[in-house]
Amino acid sequence: MKKYMVLCAGLCAAMAFTSCKSSESAYKKAYEKAKAQETAQQTTPETAQTEANVVAPLVDKPATDTQVVDNVDNVQVRQERVSLVNGSGLKHFSVVVGSFSLKANADGLQQKLREAGYDAQVVKNEDRNMYRVVAATFDSKADAAASRNEFRAKYPDAWLLYNAQ
């Protein structure tokens, strides 16, 4: 009796596996359908592409007519709202040589810069809760950039600040 049950179970399993098998004709139909879609797509873009290719005429302009409006000197400037904590006052562009979360650290660097002969100032960025040590302040961006380049010899992380009032 046990032999018959094992034989029936094996026969059922074999029938289950063979009945799910896909036929070759189904694969052939799917292949032909894909080929037909592919040929239809190849013919359609060519006609659409020839209609859409419109080229505007090239107008020669001398290099002197080109005008760059923004950031002519390619110097990065951070714009922040800062308030003066200690110093004589800020102009539009400032050279920042240090940023600290503690006021005591900012005061220490300010004192060191003043001993070196600079009119150093401490400002605070309320948004980020950081104290910035300003080594020099200028009205023009070009002067501030030149000063920043000089300060980078001693303070490699020096950067320009635009006071957004």
Side-chain angles (χ1 to χ4, degrees):
M1 176 88 171
K2 199 173 190 183
K3 287 182 185 181
Y4 290 115
M5 286 187 68
V6 171
L7 183 63
C8 285
L11 185 61
C12 288
M15 286 178 57
F17 286 123
T18 57
S19 65
C20 294
K21 186 172 147 182
S22 299
S23 65
E24 188 176 322
S25 64
Y27 283 118
K28 189 172 184 178
K29 285 180 185 177
Y31 176 76
E32 289 172 355
K33 185 177 178 182
K35 273 296 206 189
Q37 286 178 348
E38 185 178 295
T39 56
Q41 287 177 352
Q42 285 178 352
T43 58
T44 305
E46 290 174 3
T47 57
Q49 192 175 26
T50 56
E51 293 172 6
N53 287 341
V54 176
V55 179
L58 182 62
V59 178
D60 289 332
K61 278 184 154 182
T64 56
D65 285 352
T66 305
Q67 182 179 10
V68 178
V69 177
D70 190 30
N71 204 12
V72 175
D73 51 6
N74 202 23
V75 175
Q76 288 186 338
V77 179
R78 291 187 202 172
Q79 183 174 352
E80 296 181 353
R81 289 191 191 278
V82 294
S83 58
L84 186 66
V85 175
N86 187 0
S88 59
L90 291 180
K91 296 180 182 175
H92 294 292
F93 295 95
S94 302
V95 179
V96 177
V97 294
S99 297
F100 302 97
S101 58
L102 296 175
K103 185 178 182 298
N105 293 343
D107 289 338
L109 181 57
Q110 179 192 22
Q111 186 62 34
K112 185 177 174 183
L113 287 168
R114 284 191 173 174
E115 289 171 359
Y118 298 106
D119 183 26
Q121 304 172 51
V122 176
V123 296
K124 184 173 184 184
N125 180 341
E126 293 291 339
D127 297 335
R128 295 184 180 172
N129 200 26
M130 294 292 288
Y131 292 93
R132 312 287 194 200
V133 180
V134 174
T137 184
F138 300 93
D139 283 323
S140 75
K141 182 179 174 183
D143 294 339
S147 178
R148 182 213 48 192
N149 293 340
E150 291 174 13
F151 276 108
R152 280 195 171 169
K154 192 167 185 180
Y155 301 98
D157 293 332
W159 50 278
L160 292 182
L161 167 72
Y162 177 76
N163 187 14
Q165 297 177 12

